[in-house]
Amino acid sequence: MAPLALALALAASVPAPSVGPDARTSLPPAPLELYRIAWQRRLVPPQALEMGPQEHGAVAVDPQRGLAVVGTRDGWLHAFRADGTVAWELKASGVFGPPAIEGDTVYVGSSDGNLYAVAIPTGKARWIYAAKEDLTTRPALAGGVVVVASLQDTVFAVDAATGAWRWHHRREQKGEGLTIFGAASVSVGAGLVFAGYSDGFIAALDPATGAARWERQVAPNGTHLDVDSIALGGDRLYAAAFSGAVLALDARTGKEVWSFTAPGACRVVVGGGFVFAVTSNRVVGLSPVNGAPLWSTPLDGSPGAQPALAGKWLLVPAGAGGLRWLEAPTGRPLRHFDPGTGVLAGPGVGGGRVYVLSNGGFLFALDLG
């Protein structure tokens, strides 16, 4: 059965037609209609001998123009209008990471070692910076520079207008030199650039020079010390360390405010008065005040890219478990969206719509109910 039919069967709150064996649903009919599928587009054609394809990117939504921008595993960066028509496409020699949109420019890194600045109106590259390291994390803007973390534990900063190198900060990789669920994207705020590293450290960097204002090991002792996710909320920086902790730090000093034991912690999101953490097998809601657990829900899948908030819903990519829709205040799972191949990519939220990239290479536009 086509992916659209499968997704409609999962989305409807009324009795749905029978679906094929690939459809996954273990939840009762939703008490309300959470979304409707506006359109779907196949972005990646079937590849010969490709088994279990996976899309690890994320969708970014341009709030001004209503464009959805997403990179796919075949090395294309796509921009779609709200009606599902193609605005433009750009090809790279590697796989694009999560894009970041600022003004009329998309900033996006690639596994080919390049950071791209792409003009939103035309889809043409304004400049390309060759870092020569895997840059499949989300960039961020800080005081006229674009900062992005590599999978080799380097933070690069380049001039946002010209792409000229400004500075870089590197920590030496320890152990296997590999991350478990991908390197942490940088966070920017409080006049600083924050980065997490595979040796279990976090650094707060000066956006003008790259000098470290503070560096602190946050990961508990263990086999894999990766800090795979950080998030800034007010004057606190939150971090997920795979060796077993979710932490809150004072953003200006690096001093620990609280720590919650969470083996396999790999994602952290802040919003709506909560801290949300994804581990290798659970999603946990925490109090931002003291880290007290408020709820805990089985993941029913495997960790994917960063979750996103859409109103009162927490949207969690869970691989074969699809995109999980959890009620943010309670953790109650209401639906999951899975067109048959699973969802690992981060969803894009904007304009009353959620964009979902499936592992099969389909992009779905879901209008929120």
Side-chain angles (χ1 to χ4, degrees):
M1 180 172 288
L4 176 56
L6 295 175
L8 282 170
L10 295 178
S13 59
V14 297
S18 60
V19 295
D22 289 337
R24 296 173 55 86
T25 179
S26 58
L27 300 174
L32 71 163
E33 189 175 58
L34 303 184
Y35 52 80
R36 293 183 179 181
I37 298 177
W39 49 262
Q40 67 162 344
R41 297 289 182 272
R42 180 161 214 159
L43 307 189
V44 185
Q47 306 293 311
L49 304 178
E50 186 178 38
M51 299 295 292
Q54 294 185 342
E55 297 286 358
H56 290 276
V59 185
V61 180
D62 177 6
Q64 285 187 306
R65 301 163 188 84
L67 294 182
V69 182
V70 61
T72 46
R73 66 183 186 275
D74 57 354
W76 283 93
L77 186 69
H78 312 264
F80 285 89
R81 302 181 184 92
D83 63 2
T85 58
V86 177
W88 49 260
E89 293 177 308
L90 177 71
K91 184 71 169 69
S93 57
V95 179
F96 285 107
I101 296 174
E102 184 74 20
D104 63 354
T105 306
V106 177
Y107 300 97
V108 59
S110 171
S111 62
D112 65 11
N114 292 325
L115 177 65
Y116 295 79
V118 182
I120 291 180
T122 64
K124 304 296 184 182
R126 298 188 190 276
W127 50 256
I128 302 174
Y129 172 73
K132 300 181 181 179
E133 295 185 13
D134 188 326
L135 299 180
T136 48
T137 65
R138 191 187 300 275
L141 273 289
V145 298
V146 185
V147 287
V148 63
S150 79
L151 268 64
Q152 288 74 44
D153 278 346
T154 306
V155 176
F156 293 93
V158 301
D159 188 279
T162 66
W165 175 89
R166 295 280 289 273
W167 54 261
H168 69 266
H169 180 273
R170 175 179 290 117
R171 289 192 63 85
E172 295 301 322
Q173 292 186 317
K174 303 292 178 65
E176 299 89 342
L178 298 173
T179 59
I180 305 302
F181 292 104
S185 296
V186 294
S187 286
V188 172
L192 296 168
V193 175
F194 300 96
Y197 300 89
S198 66
D199 63 356
F201 273 73
I202 289 177
L205 309 174
D206 186 307
T209 65
R213 298 282 185 85
W214 56 259
E215 292 180 281
R216 177 185 178 89
Q217 182 173 349
V218 298
N221 292 331
T223 303
H224 298 289
L225 302 178
D226 307 47
V227 177
D228 286 323
S229 181
I230 57 176
L232 191 64
D235 59 357
R236 291 186 180 180
L237 181 71
Y238 301 92
F242 191 81
S243 58
V246 177
L247 307 97
L249 309 177
D250 182 289
R252 294 198 176 276
T253 66
K255 182 180 179 180
E256 181 180 310
V257 179
W258 54 255
S259 177
F260 173 74
T261 300
C266 55
R267 298 286 178 258
V268 63
V269 179
V270 182
F274 300 93
V275 176
F276 306 100
V278 180
T279 75
S280 53
N281 57 19
R282 305 194 70 79
V283 184
V284 183
L286 303 172
S287 165
V289 177
N290 55 17
L294 305 175
W295 53 259
S296 179
T297 300
L299 181 60
D300 291 335
S302 58
Q306 283 287 110
L309 281 165
K312 65 178 180 179
W313 312 114
L314 178 66
L315 310 181
V316 184
L323 184 68
R324 316 295 297 183
W325 294 64
L326 305 183
E327 195 174 51
T330 67
R332 183 166 63 113
L334 285 185
R335 302 298 289 170
H336 69 263
F337 178 88
D338 181 9
T341 54
V343 176
L344 285 169
V349 179
R353 176 174 283 179
V354 174
Y355 293 92
V356 184
L357 178 64
S358 76
N359 282 341
F362 281 83
L363 181 65
F364 295 85
L366 312 180
D367 285 337
L368 296 172

